Amino acid sequence: MTRTSVTLCADESRAAGEDPIGTAPHWAEVTVLELDVPVWAQLRSVDTWTPAQSAVFAALRGKVESSGAGFGLLMSAPLSPGAPLRVRHYVRGPGGYRRQDYAADLPQLEWARGLHDTLIEPARLRDWDALPAPERGADLHVCTHGTVDAACGRYGVPVHAALREAGERAWRTGHFGGHRFAATAVELPSGLLWAHLTPALAVQVARREVSPAEVAGHLRGFAGLSARAQVLDRALLVQHGWDWLTAQREAQVDGDLVTLTATVAGHTRTYRAAVTDAEPLLLPGSSHKPDRAPVRQYVLGEMEIHPAAPQALPLL
């Protein structure tokens, strides 16, 4: 029997020189459900949801439509398989997101309860045990979901293993979008999403052993901002260094014009630039579907700063 080889979408993305900036989802908050890997498929199997589980997602769709605020849902394998349901909830705040952990004496199949109580009716979190979150360091959620796309299994698994071996807080995580960026990771609480990580580079990023300029081409964007604003935000991260992540950043987008305000220690500065479309690339969105589609690329125009001030932090 002849085995058919699969051309990985991540390989095609790298070969085409795709710039991943602007591909991070835009999230106001993120719920991470600690679920064993077999449960990931159950959560993704819409046809098998109970009426109560379907109702949770219907309510979440209504929340997004009414507020315009997206939310992230991540599934990460617990450190102890078979453990009761545990939830990590991240809410947008200064410098990224604030983390709060919750535990309940519930089986993992009650995952819809975790979504409902964190994202829809947070008053019900009083019935959970609030756990202390780590004071320092990052949580690297690495997609290893090879059954969804072979690229995530091929590249995500060794990246996750390297981070764990290096003593970093890394989580084996289910699909969250962006197969062609494997190995891809969501870094919280900073809210940065990464693309085309290697094991060595992932450890360097987690430890901030490289400058933002050195890894700019691996940054998908800051999930606290929309796509075009992520492009301007990356330029400012390169300009200011990792300290930029301590700033509270908000943005308004009017057509191609992005206005981003950053506040540190009560001081605010405004940055403005046009972010226009470059020539798109034609790339597959999956390793298992040969169909190609246009992939947007961006060009950042000249930046204006108000009020004018030295380029290094502090902002004013």
Side-chain angles (χ1 to χ4, degrees):
M1 179 177 177
T2 302
R3 185 174 181 178
T4 303
S5 62
V6 174
T7 300
L8 299 181
C9 56
D11 292 343
E12 296 211 32
S13 172
R14 282 193 298 271
E18 180 181 6
D19 185 350
I21 193 62
T23 65
H26 187 191
W27 293 332
E29 53 189 319
V30 186
T31 290
V32 183
L33 303 172
E34 294 193 12
L35 304 175
D36 292 334
V37 174
V39 183
W40 295 359
Q42 296 178 36
L43 191 151
R44 290 176 52 84
S45 181
V46 178
D47 294 340
T48 64
W49 286 351
T50 66
Q53 291 167 343
S54 296
V56 168
F57 279 95
L60 287 171
R61 284 192 294 271
K63 175 181 178 179
V64 171
E65 290 171 359
S66 63
S67 67
F71 64 88
L73 165 59
L74 300 178
M75 303 174 292
S76 67
L79 300 181
S80 299
L85 182 63
R86 180 168 171 166
V87 178
R88 301 193 300 280
H89 188 215
Y90 299 83
V91 178
R92 182 86 156 82
Y97 296 78
R98 299 187 307 273
R99 172 181 165 176
Q100 178 62 63
D101 292 18
Y102 298 95
D105 189 19
L106 295 170
Q108 292 181 17
L109 292 180
E110 292 290 329
W111 51 261
R113 172 80 179 274
L115 283 178
H116 178 275
D117 292 2
T118 53
L119 297 175
I120 299 172
E121 195 175 351
R124 293 182 57 174
L125 289 171
R126 61 175 175 266
D127 297 329
W128 295 67
D129 294 326
L131 306 175
E135 293 183 3
R136 297 178 179 275
D139 299 309
L140 275 298
H141 301 86
V142 183
C143 183
T144 60
H145 212 159
T147 57
V148 173
D149 195 283
C152 295
R154 169 67 177 83
Y155 294 119
V157 170
V159 163
H160 171 262
L163 287 165
R164 294 290 300 170
E165 290 170 5
E168 302 298 325
R169 288 203 308 272
W171 303 88
R172 185 182 177 189
T173 305
H175 168 68
F176 50 77
H179 314 302
R180 69 181 187 274
F181 301 121
T184 182
V186 179
E187 179 189 315
L188 291 163
S190 71
L192 301 180
L193 271 79
W194 295 99
H196 299 150
L197 292 173
T198 64
L201 182 60
V203 173
Q204 290 178 311
V205 166
R207 295 176 174 176
R208 303 296 191 242
E209 293 176 345
V210 286
S211 70
E214 293 174 281
V215 292
H218 293 269
L219 186 59
R220 295 180 59 185
F222 170 45
L225 300 173
S226 59
R228 291 186 191 274
Q230 291 170 13
V231 179
L232 177 55
D233 184 69
R234 179 179 68 172
L236 291 164
L237 173 63
V238 169
Q239 183 181 99
H240 292 291
W242 295 116
D243 285 346
W244 176 252
L245 300 181
T246 65
Q248 173 68 28
R249 291 111 72 202
E250 305 293 344
Q252 292 183 335
V253 180
D254 183 6
D256 293 340
L257 183 63
V258 178
T259 302
L260 188 152
T261 59
T263 302
V264 173
H267 299 294
T268 299
R269 187 185 295 173
T270 299
Y271 304 84
R272 187 173 292 113
V275 178
T276 56
D277 289 356
E279 187 70 23
L281 300 174
L282 284 176
L283 292 172
S286 165
S287 298
H288 310 287
K289 296 180 181 178
D291 296 342
R292 293 171 178 266
V295 170
R296 179 169 281 170
Q297 300 283 271
Y298 297 100
V299 174
L300 177 65
E302 186 175 351
M303 190 187 310
E304 299 176 3
I305 306 174
H306 305 277
Q311 299 302 302
L313 291 175
L315 296 178
L316 290 177

